Amino acid sequence: MANLADDYGTDVEIYIKALTTTIHADTPTGAPAQLHDLLEHLGLERHEYPADTPIYIWHTVPEHLDAGEQKRLASRAIPVLLLAGYEVNCTPEVFDESAYRQAVQDLRTRAGRPAVRQQAPIGSASPAAPARRTP
């Protein structure tokens, strides 16, 4: 089995498997469990071979989704993976720019929400520090 993440030295390679319509997300051999868990949290399905003691682990976009939604799901996962510090490569035939941009905007909106601040105690010398915003 070919593993494109191993071949290209990335953390995640997103592509359409040759001779199929299945969108794969390969991770390198020995990838941390947190990466696999994050991919599952983002909606991708984990596969392992062999099943009893996996040597090879990969993820796919659920096949019950239509082709457009599969590409959108894969593209929406990219900003989250990048923000988590992973190196990601996605082939152009999978990448949906509008879904990617919306995911980036959603992340910025979530990061930009001011945190709930506690009131400074009465008689305090200084008010509570303002919440920091990340651009």
Side-chain angles (χ1 to χ4, degrees), residues 4-13 26-28 87-89:
L4 294 183
D6 283 340
D7 293 347
Y8 295 122
T10 57
D11 294 310
V12 182
E13 283 288 326
D26 285 356
T27 56
E87 184 178 343
V88 181
N89 186 39

Side-chain angles (χ1 to χ4, degrees), residues 56-114:
Y56 181 53
I57 300 172
W58 72 100
H59 296 79
T60 60
V61 173
E63 292 189 25
H64 69 273
L65 301 174
D66 68 46
E69 187 55 33
Q70 288 181 359
K71 291 177 183 182
R72 287 186 290 276
L73 187 146
S75 297
R76 284 190 304 261
I78 296 169
V80 176
L81 292 163
L82 293 172
L83 190 61
Y86 296 108
E87 184 178 343
V88 181
N89 186 39
C90 181
T91 60
E93 52 273 0
V94 172
F95 189 71
D96 181 314
E97 186 171 352
S98 63
Y100 174 86
R101 287 179 186 266
Q102 184 61 53
V104 168
Q105 183 59 40
D106 292 347
L107 287 171
R108 286 181 178 156
T109 300
R110 258 185 266 149
R113 287 187 191 141

Side-chain angles (χ1 to χ4, degrees), residues 3-46:
N3 181 329
L4 294 183
D6 283 340
D7 293 347
Y8 295 122
T10 57
D11 294 310
V12 182
E13 283 288 326
I14 301 172
Y15 64 98
I16 297 176
K17 180 90 171 173
L19 306 175
T20 74
T21 58
T22 305
I23 297 175
H24 276 242
D26 285 356
T27 56
T29 303
Q34 296 90 343
L35 175 54
H36 297 296
D37 293 343
L38 179 56
L39 288 165
E40 285 184 70
H41 177 76
L42 294 169
L44 285 88
E45 297 173 340
R46 183 190 305 218

